[in-house]
Amino acid sequence: MKKCLLTICSMALSFATFAQSFYPVPLYAWKSLSVSYSQTTLDFPMVMELLDFTRMQDGRMTLVVEPTDILAEFEDAVYTYRELFKQEGIELTYDGGDDLFTPISGDPERLKQVFCNVLDNAAKHGGSGKRIDAAIRGDEAWIYITVRDYGSGIPENELPFVKQKFYKGSSKARGSGIGLAVVEEIVRLHGGTFDIGNAEGGGCIVTIAIPR
């Protein structure tokens, strides 16, 4: 339902852009559409993680596995958030490398959820650095996705707990406190690993490894 709402908002905003060239669209209406689309996109990870929490609790979280273009899913998330971050003065860089990625066995919706959550988290907690780097690489056995921000990083004494359910530490950012736990569970179901730590030179870096 949330995905449908996001699509509807996107279509409405696109239509408003088209219509503006023929009929003047009131400024208040344009702003309302823009805000609705942006807020829907930004809230997507939090809504999904709350819906998934009960599934995690009783072991009902499952994957709908199919051949998945992981590069396309990651790039879709990056390009969506790039525009949103730009409105907040945050530059989102992307490095797709030169690797060729054949389809993997995975759940495209769940993987997209992971990527959206990690990007959203980087902006919430590291957006003060005004830059986020996203990259994807691969070797013969694994695909590696990294998201690095240039914020203040995570206090060392909080690092061991950041992936625990409901743990927010000293952060005052919006969120349910279960996003990273949901991300880790989805990655685990794909046979992968999820790591988060402080980057050299400042900020935080997330590394997701998914088997080919």
Side-chain angles (χ1 to χ4, degrees):
M1 182 174 67
K2 189 66 175 180
K3 182 179 180 181
C4 292
L5 179 58
L6 181 59
T7 301
I8 290 169
C9 287
S10 179
M11 291 174 63
L13 193 57
S14 298
F15 175 76
T17 305
F18 174 76
Q20 181 74 13
S21 60
F22 296 96
Y23 305 99
V25 177
L27 181 60
Y28 72 86
W30 174 261
K31 287 184 176 180
S32 295
L33 283 170
S34 299
V35 169
S36 295
Y37 174 68
S38 298
Q39 194 60 49
T40 300
T41 306
L42 287 173
D43 285 346
F44 178 76
M46 186 166 61
V47 170
M48 290 302 297
E49 67 196 30
L50 289 171
L51 291 173
D52 285 334
F53 178 67
T54 54
R55 299 189 185 103
M56 284 180 58
Q57 289 295 92
D58 57 18
R60 289 188 298 111
M61 180 178 284
T62 58
L63 302 179
V64 180
V65 177
E66 61 185 76
T68 299
D69 186 342
I70 192 170
L71 178 63
E73 296 300 331
F74 186 52
E75 288 185 341
D76 189 32
V78 168
Y79 295 145
T80 297
Y81 275 81
R82 175 179 281 169
E83 294 305 312
L84 295 171
F85 290 168
K86 187 182 296 185
Q87 297 174 22
E88 300 178 15
I90 301 172
E91 178 188 10
L92 175 56
T93 70
Y94 171 64
D95 183 358
D98 299 318
D99 298 300
L100 297 176
F101 299 98
T102 56
I104 67 168
S105 293
D107 185 328
E109 291 298 323
R110 290 297 190 185
L111 287 171
K112 179 73 169 292
Q113 180 183 345
V114 166
F115 303 147
C116 288
N117 196 304
V118 169
L119 288 166
D120 183 67
N121 200 64
K124 283 192 298 186
H125 300 285
S128 59
K130 298 302 179 182
R131 175 180 168 184
I132 295 171
D133 297 337
I136 184 168
R137 289 286 188 274
D139 58 26
E140 293 183 358
W142 296 88
I143 297 171
Y144 303 97
I145 292 103
T146 57
V147 174
R148 187 248 170 106
D149 66 60
Y150 290 80
S152 58
I154 303 170
E156 290 296 327
N157 64 314
E158 296 183 8
L159 270 175
F161 311 105
V162 293
K163 293 187 286 184
Q164 293 183 2
K165 302 180 186 71
F166 301 115
Y167 185 80
K168 298 186 70 173
S170 56
S171 173
K172 304 300 181 185
R174 61 182 173 84
S176 63
I178 60 174
L180 295 182
V182 172
V183 165
E184 185 172 46
E185 178 67 8
I186 294 173
V187 172
R188 184 191 68 79
L189 290 172
H190 280 86
T193 61
F194 170 67
D195 295 298
I196 183 168
N198 288 320
E200 184 176 351
C204 178
I205 184 166
V206 165
T207 304
I208 298 167
I210 301 291
R212 285 184 179 271

